[in-house]
Amino acid sequence: MRGRAIGLLGAAGAGLLATALTAVPGPSEVANATSPLASHRAVYDLKLLRTQGKRGLQSVRGRILYDFSGNACEGYVLQFRQVSELDTGEGKVALSDLRASTWEDGAAKDFRFSSQNYVNDQMANNVDGRAERSTDKVAVGLTKPKQENFNLEADIVFPTEHMRRIIEAAREGKGMLEFPVYDGSENGEHVYNTLTVIGREIPASESSPADATAGQTALAGLKRWPVTISYFDRVSARGEQTPVYAISFEIYENGVSRALTLDYGDFAVSGEMSKLEMSPSRPCP
């Protein structure tokens, strides 16, 4: 098991899971979108799906709380918390508590992020910063874990913009996308290369979910697609690479995601939505 697998890869894993749960249309698309972006609060229950290797896990349990709101004019706010417990079966149990919040403007030019990750009640990571896009670069300024400023390539996308493009591609019938993504994880210094595979649309008549999405009038008649996003370390050696991890889920065209699977190679975790509260989305003035 990878060393940073504690707490489902700590801030990096949970931060990118938050990315996978978010889908944000840009301002130019709001009026034309089939469904408006849904403000909602969801709870996902985590459990071990499979494990392999000599250092396999005995069990994983936990919960994700996901609270998303906003609009294209004022930006989008995400409040995210993941508490997870990993048991190796050797008398060693690790408890991770990640608390994160982000704000991204509708034009995907301004991204603010803050996260604190506790392992066994001791703070392991504390990140705070902001990234601003211009025509030729993305300027990042960190205040935690240390004061630091650096520039990234202009083609890097922020988390909500990444998912916006995935939904757009799904609507157009495209099956694959590749983007470098910056989400403020790994002490705010890391960029992932991503490969997204989009499956065919799931007809409403083909599969009726039995989780908290069942019976939700806000989801009735909406399109949804199976999606897998693989995350690759940009500093790895050239040649064929193995993803650091992959996240699979079904996403509705209004941004609600269900049926999560987090695959870290030597173990995988499922996330079943146990609670979903839909809220009215405030339109732009």
Side-chain angles (χ1 to χ4, degrees):
M1 182 171 60
R2 296 183 179 93
R4 57 180 176 175
I6 295 299
L8 306 185
L9 292 187
L16 286 166
L17 174 59
T19 301
L21 294 172
T22 307
V24 179
S28 63
E29 295 175 275
V30 173
N32 299 322
T34 303
S35 302
L37 182 65
S39 294
H40 63 285
R41 180 183 176 93
V43 175
Y44 300 84
D45 293 333
L46 305 176
K47 66 178 181 180
L48 184 64
L49 189 62
R50 64 165 176 80
T51 185
Q52 61 187 32
K54 295 181 180 180
R55 300 183 61 187
L57 293 172
Q58 184 70 27
S59 67
V60 174
R61 64 189 185 115
R63 180 165 288 179
I64 291 168
L65 174 63
Y66 176 91
D67 195 339
F68 176 82
S69 62
N71 60 43
C73 298
E74 299 174 353
Y76 300 91
V77 176
L78 171 63
Q79 299 293 333
F80 179 92
R81 186 173 184 182
Q82 177 180 338
V83 178
S84 50
E85 181 182 88
L86 285 77
D87 186 351
T88 65
E90 302 170 352
K92 297 180 181 179
V93 177
L95 178 66
S96 173
D97 183 354
L98 173 72
R99 307 162 192 182
S101 61
T102 65
W103 176 87
E104 186 172 331
D105 75 329
K109 292 183 178 180
D110 194 352
F111 175 56
R112 304 171 195 173
F113 51 91
S114 176
S115 66
Q116 302 81 39
N117 190 40
Y118 297 84
V119 177
N120 295 331
D121 296 324
Q122 299 295 317
M123 183 174 287
N125 298 92
N126 189 8
V127 180
D128 190 271
R130 181 174 185 174
E132 297 178 278
R133 185 187 309 280
S134 60
T135 55
D136 60 345
K137 65 182 179 181
V138 172
V140 179
L142 300 178
T143 56
K144 296 177 183 178
K146 61 182 178 180
Q147 291 277 351
E148 186 177 4
N149 295 284
F150 56 91
N151 295 327
L152 300 173
E153 297 91 334
D155 64 341
I156 284 174
V157 299
F158 300 141
T160 52
E161 169 70 2
H162 182 209
M163 294 307 299
R164 180 195 68 78
R165 296 192 187 195
I166 291 174
I167 287 184
E168 180 182 339
R171 285 174 172 155
E172 295 175 355
K174 297 178 181 178
M176 189 173 297
L177 293 174
E178 292 185 77
F179 290 107
V181 174
Y182 178 76
D183 74 336
S185 65
E186 294 284 347
N187 290 326
E189 300 175 347
H190 205 79
V191 175
Y192 286 93
N193 287 333
T194 67
L195 173 64
T196 301
V197 177
I198 306 168
R200 68 177 181 85
E201 179 187 338
I202 303 172
S205 59
E206 179 179 302
S207 177
S208 299
D211 57 14
T213 61
Q216 290 282 349
T217 57
L219 302 178
L222 294 187
K223 297 178 181 179
R224 76 180 196 271
W225 301 268
V227 173
T228 297
I229 308 175
S230 298
Y231 295 87
F232 298 87
D233 195 332
R234 299 188 95 196
V235 299
S236 297
R238 293 183 178 180
E240 185 175 353
Q241 296 185 44
T242 300
V244 177
Y245 52 94
I247 301 173
S248 300
F249 52 95
E250 293 180 5
I251 190 164
Y252 289 87
E253 58 185 329
N254 70 346
V256 175
S257 296
R258 64 169 301 275
L260 307 178
T261 298
L262 293 78
D263 190 342
Y264 300 108
D266 42 14
F267 72 97
V269 176
S270 65
E272 180 178 352
M273 184 189 289
S274 59
K275 187 175 182 179
L276 176 62
E277 298 175 357
M278 308 297 296
S279 303
S281 293
R282 186 169 61 190
C284 287

